[in-house]
Amino acid sequence: MKQTFTKLITFLKSPHHRDSFGNIKGREFLYLLLIAFAIVIPYALILDLAGVDEFDHKFDILIKKYKWLLVILGVLIAPLLEEPIYRLHLDFKKSSIWWSLGLSVFVISEAWITVVLLWIWLFFLLFKVNKGDQPNLKYSVFISSALFALVHLMNFKEFDYAQYFYWVPFMVGAQFLIGLVLSYIRLNYGMKWAIIFHGVYNAILIIPAVYFYEV
């Protein structure tokens, strides 16, 4: 695991894009999952102690009425949409940027402002690529991960941003960190493995919660 963690940190310090992708080894896939949960679980506990759980989360509503729809949305639909939207364009190809733009209309909701920010970022990338300039990959990885995190604000029902604006970075901090892990996978092993990892990660979180939920 130490080697995988070191590779991840090295990548985040100086992101790179492989010219060709191979399959991720099962051991590294597992280690990346363990790293992800080693980040998320303590983070969630800290937020709970800080009182962030006072905000009404849509997960609680969906799990009461639409258990298995929640599984389908979280394990299948979300990875298939979110990975192309937030990480496909990291190869800086015009076609990839346009695909990210086109698919982003499916995530417009209460958090529409974050989608507008995504559009501004993607059109900026398109402008740079059309000029023949190479965008900064490190900035792109971190900005895309931040936008991926912010769109998850839609998970919170009737959140008063004006009153609780200072909570926003903490509420989506875990998603930002997971976005960085997914960026590492996308740029080293390709979109397929980023989608699979995203789906498996969500499944580990959602399926036990749905299965053991008691009305």
Side-chain angles (χ1 to χ4, degrees):
M1 183 186 290
K2 183 179 179 180
Q3 184 179 8
T4 300
F5 183 75
T6 301
K7 286 168 61 178
L8 176 62
I9 296 301
T10 301
F11 168 83
L12 294 177
K13 289 179 179 177
S14 181
H16 57 275
H17 185 285
R18 284 190 182 178
D19 295 328
S20 59
F21 301 122
N23 290 328
I24 187 171
K25 294 181 179 179
R27 181 178 296 179
E28 183 167 9
F29 189 95
L30 175 61
Y31 287 162
L32 287 169
L33 275 175
L34 292 174
I35 289 169
F37 283 106
I39 294 169
V40 169
I41 293 174
Y43 192 92
L45 291 173
I46 292 170
L47 290 185
D48 185 62
L49 291 172
V52 178
D53 59 330
E54 69 183 82
F55 303 120
D56 190 9
H57 201 289
K58 286 184 179 178
F59 183 90
D60 299 325
I61 299 171
L62 287 172
I63 200 171
K64 290 177 182 177
K65 295 184 177 180
Y66 311 106
K67 285 186 178 183
W68 298 107
L69 175 61
L70 180 62
V71 174
I72 294 171
L73 289 173
V75 178
L76 296 177
I77 305 300
L80 286 170
L81 271 180
E82 291 176 351
E83 288 312 302
I85 292 171
Y86 292 98
R87 276 165 280 279
L88 180 62
H89 61 269
L90 292 177
D91 61 7
F92 300 138
K93 293 180 181 178
K94 292 181 185 178
S95 59
S96 298
I97 298 172
W98 279 114
W99 269 108
S100 294
L101 278 165
L103 290 171
S104 66
V105 300
F106 292 104
V107 294
I108 297 176
S109 63
E110 292 92 337
W112 62 269
I113 294 176
T114 66
V115 179
V116 172
L117 292 175
L118 173 66
W119 289 345
I120 292 171
W121 172 244
L122 291 174
F123 276 117
F124 170 75
L125 290 181
L126 200 59
F127 173 75
K128 293 276 288 183
V129 171
N130 280 330
K131 282 183 59 180
D133 296 337
Q134 183 72 6
N136 185 294
L137 183 56
K138 184 173 184 177
Y139 290 158
S140 298
V141 165
F142 279 81
I143 290 172
S144 296
S145 296
L147 292 168
F148 167 72
L150 287 173
V151 80
H152 286 83
L153 287 173
M154 76 172 84
N155 292 337
F156 296 89
K157 182 186 177 185
E158 299 176 357
F159 177 70
D160 188 341
Y161 297 99
Q163 184 177 359
Y164 298 109
F165 66 91
Y166 51 86
W167 277 119
V168 169
F170 302 102
M171 293 166 69
V172 297
Q175 286 88 348
F176 172 70
L177 295 171
I178 296 304
L180 295 178
V181 174
L182 287 164
S183 297
Y184 166 79
I185 295 171
R186 184 267 180 271
L187 290 172
N188 282 276
Y189 301 102
M191 281 299 304
K192 177 184 77 173
W193 284 107
I195 291 170
I196 292 172
F197 186 92
H198 194 158
V200 172
Y201 171 82
N202 283 0
I204 293 171
L205 287 176
I206 295 172
I207 292 176
V210 168
Y211 185 79
F212 292 107
Y213 177 78
E214 295 181 2
V215 179

